[in-house]
């Protein structure tokens, strides 16, 4: 407990979005349900063991909530106004950083007013974390929306050990250097003791940006940060490929009701010989259009017939107020409509398209129902859908077609790897997946499963937190015991009052 009565925690996770959703029932009563995301599952055991707290936004504007507890997790809400959401979240996060960090697949927009809001909101997150973390505690900041938080937090609380994990790619310098605020972003991240990336290539891109933009020296995986008036600080920047709770996907898929549902799904599609599946947020990084183009051409060429093959495409709604996403939806739905119009028979439809989100049970049934999973992302930090498919296939069947431009392709080498830009190559790979003999499917799926089961999300969070603890130990050995500035409590209180 701090002097001003705020509860403090030794382990604090900070992410843009809290792991809980606000549910308002018909009679107006309000409750919170834990969102079943991978991050919550990964961090829940750590949070419980450390009695930790989660700092983030509750997903709706102007809620002005006090800290509360949900399902045993201590929640510390950060309030965002409608303007913050427009400028910091939909603007700078999703219309500047997202396209820039995904190889400029869509053109990023640069607006100073969005940047100002990003700085302002990052500061509020840093202050919220500073106010609830105990002396010498650990703070783990998540993702691209909060890249300035590590440095801002270190300035307020030099006693803390700070980690940062980037869930999306970190772009090559030739692309990153477009960002008008590139140096501020790099210095923001360098406030952390450990910076985690999905792939080694992302960590290397970051180190190169550090060399180009700052006077700091890099010797993989260490960056020596030299700041005026303080001793050099060591930052570790390396890959920690994220994963899923593989065991829970497998046990869900093993439930008889899920297997029954998988059979029902196939029957509902008219029991085609082959069911192919795509599951993506409706996002231009996911290469949904490339997948549809390849499938449409295979039907047009007569290499696939609508009686034999159905493509189920789940495109879950995403960022629906951002213009690029509104246009993407129109494009994809036009293409789906054309392919279905051109090739449907009275009894069969080539594409079963769903602009909806589904419960986890239904996802598991879909994975079991699919002979082929198509992941054709043009750039993707990791792609958890690929890993979920593999984890669900306890029957050692199913073929994973996986884009080389996903982080997952670094690990899942026995998938059928494709370059989604090469439409002929993609078509050939789809045909190969459909025709693959059972023995080859089994041997490939076995190898994929071994990787996903051994490298699950618990291992990911353990590896990151161990590195963070190690960094903290090194820091305390290299420097004299750190004294908290005397006016620290005052600083935090004053900032909160502002
Ligand atoms: C970012 C990075 C990185 C999707 N539709 C439904 C649904 N989902 C679930 C999937 C999966 C998750 O959402 C999507 O994760 P991905 O990894 O595929 O992609 P992003 O959303 O872009 O995530 C990515 C990830 O962060 C983690 O670091 O891998 O590269 O872009 O779990 O199953 N889940 C349910 N219904 C749906 O309709 N229940």
């Amino acid at each position: 407990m701090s002097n001003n009565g705020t509860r403090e925690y030794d382990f604090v996770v900070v992410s843009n979005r809290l792991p809980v959703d606000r549910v308002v029932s018909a009679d107006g009563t309000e409750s919170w349900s834990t969102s079943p995301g991978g991050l919550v599952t990964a961090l829940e055991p750590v949070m419980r063991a450390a009695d930790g707290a989660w700092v983030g936004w509750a997903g709706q504007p102007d809620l002005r909530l006090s800290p509360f507890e949900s399902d045993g997790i201590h929640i510390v809400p950060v309030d965002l106004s409608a303007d913050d959401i427009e400028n910091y979240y939909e603007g700078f996060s999703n219309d500047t950083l997202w396209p820039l960090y995904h190889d400029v697949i869509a053109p990023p927009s640069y607006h100073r007013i969005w940047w100002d809001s990003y700085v302002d909101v990052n500061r509020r997150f840093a202050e919220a974390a500073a106010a609830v973390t105990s002396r010498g505690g650990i703070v783990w900041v998540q993702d691209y929306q909060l890249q300035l938080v590590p440095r801002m937090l270190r300035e307020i609380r030099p006693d803390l050990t700070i980690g940062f994990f980037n869930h999306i790619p970190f772009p090559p310098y030739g692309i990153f250097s477009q960002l008008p605020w590139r140096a501020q972003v790099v210095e923001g991240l360098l406030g952390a003791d450990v910076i985690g990336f999905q792939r080694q290539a992302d960590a290397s891109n970051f180190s190169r940006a550090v060399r180009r933009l700052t006077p700091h020296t890099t010797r993989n995986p260490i960056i020596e940060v030299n700041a005026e008036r303080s001793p050099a600080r060591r930052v570790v920047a390396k890959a920690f490929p994220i994963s899923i709770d593989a065991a829970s996907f497998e046990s869900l898929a093993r439930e008889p009701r899920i297997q029954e549902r998988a059979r029902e799904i196939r029957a509902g599609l008219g029991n085609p010989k082959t069911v192919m599946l795509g599951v993506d947020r409706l996002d231009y990084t996911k290469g949904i259009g490339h997948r549809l183009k390849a499938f449409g051409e295979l039907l047009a060429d007569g290499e696939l017939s609508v009686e034999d093959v159905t493509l189920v495409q789940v495109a879950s709604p995403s960022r629906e107020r951002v213009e690029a996403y509104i246009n993407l939806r129109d494009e994809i739905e036009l293409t789906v409509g054309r392919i279905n119009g051109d090739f449907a028979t009275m009894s069969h439809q080539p594409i079963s398209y769903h602009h909806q989100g589904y419960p986890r049970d239904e996802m598991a049934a879909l994975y079991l129902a699919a002979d082929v999973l198509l992941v054709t992302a043009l750039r993707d930090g990791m792609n958890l859908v690929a890993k979920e498919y593999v984890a669900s296939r306890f029957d050692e069947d199913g073929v994973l077609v996986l884009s080389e431009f996903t982080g997952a392709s670094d690990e899942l080498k026995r998938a059928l790897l494709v370059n989604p830009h090469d439409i002929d190559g993609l078509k050939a790979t789809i045909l190969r997946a459909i025709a693959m003999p059972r023995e080859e499917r089994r041997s490939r799926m076995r190898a994929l499963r071994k990787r996903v089961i051994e490298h699950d999300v618990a291992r990911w969070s353990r590896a990151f937190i161990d590195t963070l603890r190690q960094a903290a130990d090194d820091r305390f050995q290299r420097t004299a015991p750190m004294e908290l500035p005397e006016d620290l409590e005052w600083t935090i209180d004053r900032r909160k009052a502002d």
Side-chain angles (χ1 to χ4, degrees):
M1 196 75 83
S2 70
N3 289 351
N4 66 358
T6 312
R7 196 170 158 201
E8 292 179 342
Y9 304 88
D10 294 338
F11 180 71
V12 172
V13 169
V14 187
S15 63
N16 170 62
R17 195 60 173 80
L18 283 166
V20 290
D21 292 316
R22 182 164 170 262
V23 187
V24 183
S25 64
D27 66 1
T29 38
E30 182 183 287
S31 62
W32 293 88
S33 72
T34 309
S35 27
L39 202 57
V40 193
T41 333
L43 297 178
E44 211 177 5
V46 193
M47 296 288 259
R48 285 190 202 289
D51 194 26
W54 202 307
V55 174
W57 172 50
Q60 288 166 35
D62 297 313
L63 281 180
R64 295 182 197 287
L65 300 162
S66 303
F68 62 95
E69 204 172 308
S70 169
D71 256 349
I73 305 180
H74 304 287
I75 301 286
V76 181
V78 174
D79 185 32
L80 295 186
S81 68
D83 279 352
D84 296 332
I85 293 163
E86 190 179 328
N87 296 315
Y88 144 80
Y89 181 63
E90 293 168 347
F92 200 76
S93 298
N94 289 337
D95 210 7
T96 304
L97 293 173
W98 180 269
L100 183 73
Y101 281 31
H102 288 89
D103 288 356
V104 296
I105 295 166
S109 308
Y110 302 110
H111 296 297
R112 286 163 286 183
I113 189 170
W114 289 0
W115 165 253
D116 292 344
S117 171
Y118 186 77
V119 174
D120 176 49
V121 172
N122 271 246
R123 179 157 292 120
R124 276 150 44 202
F125 273 83
E127 286 167 356
V132 296
T133 313
S134 54
R135 186 189 167 96
I138 289 183
V139 178
W140 189 2
V141 183
Q142 307 289 329
D143 228 355
Y144 64 102
Q145 302 93 349
L146 301 175
Q147 293 174 101
L148 307 180
V149 169
R151 179 176 177 163
M152 289 170 167
L153 187 54
R154 183 166 299 284
E155 280 168 3
I156 319 174
R157 293 289 306 272
D159 59 304
L160 301 181
T161 298
I162 303 169
F164 180 91
F165 186 76
N166 200 45
H167 290 255
I168 67 172
F170 195 90
Y173 187 70
I175 292 178
F176 180 68
S177 57
Q178 284 187 14
L179 186 66
W181 308 278
R182 58 198 185 186
Q184 291 95 311
V185 166
V186 166
E187 290 290 2
L189 289 168
L190 287 172
D193 295 290
V194 176
I195 309 173
F197 296 96
Q198 301 279 26
R199 301 171 312 151
Q200 186 45 48
D202 300 313
S204 305
N205 288 343
F206 177 69
S207 293
R208 173 130 194 269
V210 169
R211 286 195 296 279
R212 295 295 298 266
L213 296 169
T214 75
H216 314 315
T217 49
T218 66
R219 221 181 57 228
N220 196 12
I222 306 290
I223 300 167
E224 290 262 353
V225 175
N226 302 293
E228 278 173 36
R229 293 194 308 277
S230 42
R233 225 167 37 79
R234 281 188 170 180
V235 177
V236 178
K238 58 181 269 205
F240 296 87
I242 200 169
S243 193
I244 56 161
D245 183 355
S248 89
F249 262 96
E250 168 159 355
S251 60
L252 188 57
R254 280 184 185 276
E255 284 184 34
R257 66 183 178 94
I258 302 292
Q259 291 171 46
E260 178 51 34
R261 177 66 193 138
R263 281 189 290 274
E264 246 175 59
I265 290 172
R266 288 190 75 106
L269 296 168
N271 277 322
K273 283 192 195 131
T274 305
V275 173
M276 300 202 293
L277 174 68
V279 173
D280 313 82
R281 276 187 307 98
L282 186 48
D283 194 296
Y284 48 77
T285 60
K286 303 291 182 183
I288 302 170
H290 292 62
R291 189 180 312 167
L292 295 177
K293 187 172 180 63
F295 183 53
E297 285 190 14
L298 285 169
L299 290 167
D301 300 345
E303 297 203 69
L304 291 180
S305 102
V306 65
E307 268 82 25
D308 291 342
V309 182
T310 305
L311 170 62
V312 177
Q313 177 63 56
V314 175
S316 39
S318 184
R319 305 175 189 172
E320 292 186 283
R321 285 159 35 120
V322 178
E323 198 187 335
Y325 289 75
I326 297 169
N327 296 338
L328 174 75
R329 182 173 178 195
D330 288 347
E331 262 170 48
I332 295 295
E333 294 184 355
L334 184 70
T335 309
V336 168
R338 285 213 173 125
I339 294 176
N340 279 346
D342 285 346
F343 301 105
T345 63
M346 287 304 164
S347 54
H348 287 87
Q349 213 165 228
I351 304 171
S352 172
Y353 173 80
H354 309 261
H355 182 250
Q356 291 163 52
Y358 287 100
R360 224 168 89 96
D361 288 6
E362 188 74 352
M363 302 296 285
L366 278 166
Y367 291 143
L368 276 186
D371 303 290
V372 177
L373 180 81
L374 296 176
V375 176
T376 54
L378 306 176
R379 184 52 80 196
D380 212 336
M382 176 54 62
N383 195 285
L384 296 181
V385 168
K387 292 188 172 181
E388 290 166 2
Y389 179 62
V390 168
S392 307
R393 297 314 300 246
F394 65 90
D395 57 353
E396 297 180 338
D397 207 348
V399 182
L400 172 62
V401 172
L402 181 61
S403 161
E404 291 164 18
F405 301 104
T406 60
S409 69
D410 279 13
E411 296 176 75
L412 304 180
K413 303 266 190 230
R414 295 219 56 209
L416 294 186
L417 298 181
V418 280
N419 169 5
H421 296 282
D422 171 9
I423 299 294
D424 286 339
L426 179 55
K427 284 162 67 180
T429 308
I430 290 174
L431 292 177
R432 186 173 164 207
I434 292 173
M436 189 181 286
R438 175 69 174 110
E439 216 19 71
E440 185 181 351
R441 301 202 297 267
R442 180 178 296 130
S443 121
R444 285 177 179 274
M445 187 52 83
R446 241 187 220 157
L448 296 174
R449 288 178 58 71
K450 186 166 184 312
R451 174 74 202 187
V452 173
I453 291 164
E454 283 174 6
H455 292 77
D456 68 355
V457 72
R459 182 165 169 162
W460 169 78
S461 57
R462 222 180 304 124
F464 190 93
I465 291 166
D466 286 352
T467 311
L468 203 49
R469 294 218 159 100
Q470 181 69 48
D473 290 349
D474 289 353
R475 186 151 61 92
F476 289 121
Q477 275 165 19
R478 282 157 52 86
T479 54
M482 180 101 47
E483 284 303 318
L484 273 182
E486 272 173 22
D487 59 352
L488 174 68
E489 303 290 356
W490 178 84
T491 311
I492 294 169
D493 286 349
R494 189 192 49 139
R495 283 172 189 262
K496 273 170 54 188
D498 285 350

